[in-house]
Amino acid sequence: MEPFLTSTAIVTLAEIGDKTQLLAIVLAARFVQPFPIVGGILVATLANHFLAALVGAQAAAFLQGDLF
């Protein structure tokens, strides 16, 4: 059961980007001015990458040792 749950969790995480892209396309097609939507996507993407880098740096600092 563990391999099934692990693969399900990984696929779920991987599909988040696809859903975000579909939402961006739908919003851009629905509203007349796409620039606020594109700006919001840009800000959200930058914030996401910043948080991922921050968590990665903290994890790297925490996991230093003989095994690494």
Side-chain angles (χ1 to χ4, degrees), residues 10-67:
I10 290 172
V11 168
T12 300
L13 286 174
E15 290 296 324
I16 290 173
D18 293 338
K19 291 178 181 131
T20 305
Q21 184 178 11
L22 288 173
L23 177 63
I25 291 169
V26 168
L27 287 174
R30 182 175 178 187
F31 295 104
V32 178
Q33 295 180 340
F35 294 112
I37 296 167
V38 172
I41 293 168
L42 176 67
V43 170
T45 301
L46 291 174
N48 185 22
H49 283 77
F50 173 77
L51 289 174
L54 182 66
V55 170
Q58 294 296 321
F62 180 74
L63 295 174
Q64 289 181 352
D66 295 336
L67 295 176

